């Protein structure tokens, strides 16, 4: 049960406004959706304006890392060099690389090449080759707030079918974003991403998804990109999450490297691409926080 707040008491969101002038109508609307069977977010998932500012500061560092990678990335470079760029950019701007030591993860960034779907571990022994497609997934903790985004980089002369894959996944996020509006469901967004990719002949990974994010690296909701319209959590103003579909040229099935416990590969060795953005739902749509 939520504690009962007087209408003239300060709002639970910390705005300093009276409850009746702040989240009272919001709470009533949420309760109504809940009574009709919708999954609704708990209060602790709703970001305040101060939280959003904090996430944006963190995101400045995260995006600087990916910008710096873009300047340097080339054939002949090891993925460990990408790790160094991300690590040094983050530290020099006062941040902490969120992946480092996260559940035992050994590096400051994930680098996932070709048939690696996600969570590839940078290594001195892994050298980027002409024609590779590589996802660099960067996450930052700064002043108590997490940011998270990933981009694809194409190395030299990339085959047309792989370029298409990379471009389609980026566009699928745009298709998903069109569905991000308050009081719609996450499943509306996930379904749009799925259909966009499926219609173009690709498969979307089912086992790994996006996530809520803020003062925690990964929090509710879990975000599927193969969901059905009208299902999953209600998107409400202040909900902050990632859209990060992993899309395969072949089948959707994936497996985890038994030795390193992290790297995820496509089952059929087909190429896989991913982009990731972080957003907050607003009163009339969304605001991108990190990309
Ligand atoms: N950045 C990834 C995500 O989008 C998480 C990586 S966790 C790590 O959720 F430990 F592998 F870095
Ligand atoms: Co993420």
């Amino acid at each position: 049960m939520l504690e009962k707040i007087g209408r003239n008491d300060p709002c639970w969101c910390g705005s300093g406004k009276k409850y009746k002038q702040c989240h009272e109508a919001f709470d009533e609307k949420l309760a109504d959706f809940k009574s009709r069977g919708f999954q609704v977010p708990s209060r602790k998932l709703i970001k305040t304006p101060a939280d959003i500012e904090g996430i944006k500061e963190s995101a400045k560092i995260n995006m600087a890392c990916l910008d710096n990678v873009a300047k340097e990335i080339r054939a002949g470079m090891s993925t460990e060099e990408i790790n160094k760029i991300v690590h040094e950019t983050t530290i020099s701007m006062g941040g902490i690389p969120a992946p480092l030591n996260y559940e035992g993860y050994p590096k400051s960034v994930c680098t996932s090449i070709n048939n690696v779907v996600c969570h590839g571990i940078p290594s001195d022994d892994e050298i980027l080759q002409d024609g590779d497609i590589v996802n660099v997934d960067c996450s930052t903790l700064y002043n108590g707030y997490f940011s998270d985004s990933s981009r694809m980089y194409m190395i030299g002369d990339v085959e047309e079918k792989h370029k298409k894959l990379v471009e389609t996944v980026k566009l699928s996020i745009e298709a998903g974003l069109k569905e991000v509006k308050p009081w719609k469901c996450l499943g509306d967004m996930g379904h749009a991403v799925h259909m966009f990719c499926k219609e173009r002949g690709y498969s979307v990974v089912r086992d790994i998804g996006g996530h809520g994010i803020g003062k925690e690296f990964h929090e509710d909701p879990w975000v599927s990109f193969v969901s059905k319209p009208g299902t999953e959590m209600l998107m409400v103003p202040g909900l902050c999450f990632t859209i990060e579909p992993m899309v395969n040229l072949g089948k959707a099935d994936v497996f985890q490297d038994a030795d390193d416990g992290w790297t995820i590969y496509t089952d059929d060795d087909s190429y896989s691409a991913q982009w990731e953005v972080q957003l907050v739902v607003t009163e009339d749509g969304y605001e991108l926080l990190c990309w």
Side-chain angles (χ1 to χ4, degrees):
M1 273 301 279
L2 293 176
E3 60 181 294
K4 203 85 185 125
I5 305 176
R7 300 190 63 229
N8 289 310
D9 290 343
C11 187
W12 54 261
C13 80
S15 64
K17 286 193 230 167
K18 288 183 178 174
Y19 181 51
K20 67 181 181 191
Q21 283 152 2
C22 197
H23 275 91
E24 187 187 42
F26 172 93
D27 282 347
E28 284 169 2
K29 196 162 177 178
L30 212 63
D32 177 56
F33 271 98
K34 193 174 176 189
S35 73
R36 290 189 280 130
F38 287 90
Q39 269 183 56
V40 302
S42 67
R43 279 180 186 168
K44 69 176 199 301
L45 299 179
I46 307 303
K47 272 64 188 174
T48 65
D51 292 334
I52 302 303
E53 284 316 303
I55 293 169
K56 284 181 177 172
E57 289 303 310
S58 176
K60 280 183 193 165
I61 302 174
N62 211 64
M63 294 192 282
C65 289
L66 293 173
D67 290 345
N68 285 345
V69 169
K71 286 177 205 154
E72 300 290 331
I73 198 164
R74 62 184 189 282
M77 181 190 231
S78 72
T79 49
E80 175 57 27
E81 284 176 74
I82 296 174
N83 184 64
K84 277 210 184 73
I85 294 168
V86 168
H87 188 88
E88 278 160 20
T89 303
T90 306
I91 299 297
S92 75
M93 294 176 76
I96 299 168
L100 189 58
N101 302 318
Y102 173 79
E103 294 184 2
Y105 187 80
K107 297 286 176 175
S108 296
V109 68
C110 299
T111 49
S112 304
I113 304 175
N114 299 342
N115 64 324
V116 175
V117 174
C118 64
H119 302 167
I121 304 174
S123 159
D124 279 319
D125 303 330
E126 186 176 53
I127 307 297
L128 296 177
Q129 311 287 333
D130 187 72
D132 282 350
I133 60 170
V134 53
N135 172 276
V136 179
D137 188 345
C138 196
S139 320
T140 301
L141 173 60
Y142 177 73
N143 201 17
Y145 289 101
F146 286 92
S147 55
D148 190 359
S149 60
S150 81
R151 301 180 194 164
M152 293 297 296
Y153 302 86
M154 295 194 256
I155 308 303
D157 206 7
V158 169
E159 273 186 64
E160 205 50 48
K161 62 180 179 188
H162 298 147
K163 268 189 199 160
K164 261 256 160 68
L165 172 69
V166 168
E167 284 157 10
T168 304
V169 182
K170 189 164 194 193
L171 291 173
S172 78
I173 293 183
E174 305 288 327
L177 284 170
K178 287 204 182 106
E179 300 300 318
V180 179
K181 294 195 180 90
W183 314 105
K184 293 190 75 169
C185 293
L186 268 176
D188 301 333
M189 180 283 299
H191 182 71
V193 171
H194 187 197
M195 288 306 111
F196 190 90
C197 296
K198 194 179 159 187
E199 281 161 12
R200 287 156 183 79
Y202 305 117
S203 57
V204 177
V205 172
R206 317 184 75 88
D207 311 336
I208 314 166
H211 51 95
I213 175 168
K215 287 181 178 164
E216 311 268 358
F217 190 0
H218 297 105
E219 61 186 30
D220 281 344
W222 187 75
V223 182
S224 168
F225 305 104
V226 290
S227 36
K228 296 271 180 284
T231 70
E232 308 291 332
M233 192 181 279
L234 203 64
M235 295 185 281
V236 304
L239 189 70
C240 180
F241 61 91
T242 66
I243 301 184
E244 50 174 316
M246 283 145 259
V247 181
N248 302 345
L249 206 43
K251 298 222 167 73
D253 308 86
V254 301
F255 72 95
Q256 188 176 58
D257 190 304
D259 296 324
D260 71 21
W262 283 100
T263 312
I264 306 286
Y265 302 91
T266 55
D267 247 350
D268 59 9
D269 267 349
S270 65
Y271 277 33
S272 184
Q274 177 183 29
W275 295 79
E276 174 176 18
V277 302
Q278 177 181 354
L279 62 87
V280 62
V281 181
T282 61
E283 294 296 333
D284 51 10
Y286 63 88
E287 182 181 4
L288 283 183
L289 300 177
C290 192
W291 60 88

